[in-house]
Amino acid sequence: MKTKHHLLPQHLLSQLANKYQCNPLGINLRKVLKNLFHENPPQELAIAIDRFCIAALTEGHAWQQGSPANALHLGHTIELLIEIAYLLHQKNSKVKTNHKLPDRLKLLPAFLPMPLNAAEYKQPQLFLSAFFKYQCIQKWKLLLACFTESALGTGSVAEERPRPELLQFNLYLKKLVYTVWRRVMLDSR
């Protein structure tokens, strides 16, 4: 089943198009998601996002995880995650969600601590909606570009952006990692 994407310029999905060399609107999201989490397990990606944000907030050359190319690669991975989340959000935006909390959740110990609340864990679409309600895809990508530039450079992203936005960026991205991972888990049942 093809998903309709109204008013979605393809340049907003540039990482998907670049990595998979095809039209991102026709991409097999299940395959892309499995590939993403095979290369970047959720806990490792969440930790990498913390390091990325710390480097972006710190004055001077603060990237400590190998060469600066690693920070650039992480920025591309985060952008890919945002694009995948956007497609998942568009695909499932008409799905009704049940706001009742489940009686019992089974969490894998390997993925704790889990930044999602019980409702978001049970229904990842709840957080995807909140993520894109907080900011549109264009603004997430612009903010990511500011963080990437600061992580690679000598300045701090705090000089350019308001403080609440900086804290929300880190929190929302880590929750996005687990939300998208959870979608993989639900789809593979």
Side-chain angles (χ1 to χ4, degrees):
M1 180 176 108
K2 285 208 169 194
T3 304
K4 290 183 181 181
H5 300 278
H6 301 285
L7 304 172
L8 179 64
Q10 294 211 248
H11 70 275
L12 291 177
L13 303 174
S14 57
Q15 287 303 317
L16 281 166
N18 184 42
K19 183 168 180 145
Y20 292 97
Q21 299 293 304
C22 67
N23 178 348
L25 300 180
I27 206 157
N28 180 341
L29 281 178
R30 179 178 281 172
K31 183 179 176 183
V32 170
L33 288 168
K34 287 187 178 190
N35 206 15
L36 173 72
F37 289 117
H38 176 71
E39 294 173 11
N40 307 282
Q43 277 187 319
E44 290 178 21
L45 187 52
I47 291 168
I49 288 169
D50 279 340
R51 290 177 179 151
F52 182 78
C53 291
I54 289 168
L57 287 164
T58 306
E59 293 281 339
H61 292 286
W63 182 254
Q64 303 294 319
Q65 281 38 73
S67 85
N70 293 347
L72 187 59
H73 177 73
L74 180 56
H76 291 312
T77 300
I78 295 168
E79 187 173 358
L80 184 70
L81 179 73
I82 291 169
E83 291 177 8
I84 292 168
Y86 185 78
L87 289 176
L88 288 170
H89 173 63
Q90 291 297 318
K91 180 180 174 185
N92 296 313
S93 62
K94 298 204 180 353
V95 172
K96 287 189 175 187
T97 54
N98 179 4
H99 293 282
K100 182 183 175 221
L101 290 177
D103 293 332
R104 193 177 266 211
L105 286 177
K106 294 180 183 175
L107 297 174
L108 297 173
F111 296 105
L112 294 174
M114 175 70 67
L116 303 177
N117 65 37
E120 293 165 343
Y121 182 82
K122 182 76 174 165
Q123 298 177 51
Q125 188 60 33
L126 290 175
F127 181 73
L128 288 176
S129 294
F131 186 83
F132 290 107
K133 189 179 279 187
Y134 181 72
Q135 291 193 112
C136 65
I137 188 171
Q138 297 97 325
K139 289 189 178 180
W140 279 114
K141 287 181 146 218
L142 286 171
L143 188 54
L144 176 60
C146 289
F147 267 80
T148 303
E149 185 178 302
S150 294
L152 292 168
T154 58
S156 169
V157 73
E159 298 168 356
E160 301 175 36
R161 311 304 285 196
R163 294 208 190 281
E165 186 176 55
L166 301 176
L167 296 173
Q168 293 295 352
F169 179 78
N170 180 275
L171 174 65
Y172 271 72
L173 283 182
K174 289 191 299 187
K175 287 182 83 162
L176 189 66
V177 168
Y178 284 94
T179 300
V180 173
W181 167 80
R182 181 69 178 138
R183 287 291 318 196
V184 173
M185 301 306 292
L186 289 174
D187 288 346
S188 62
R189 286 183 182 175

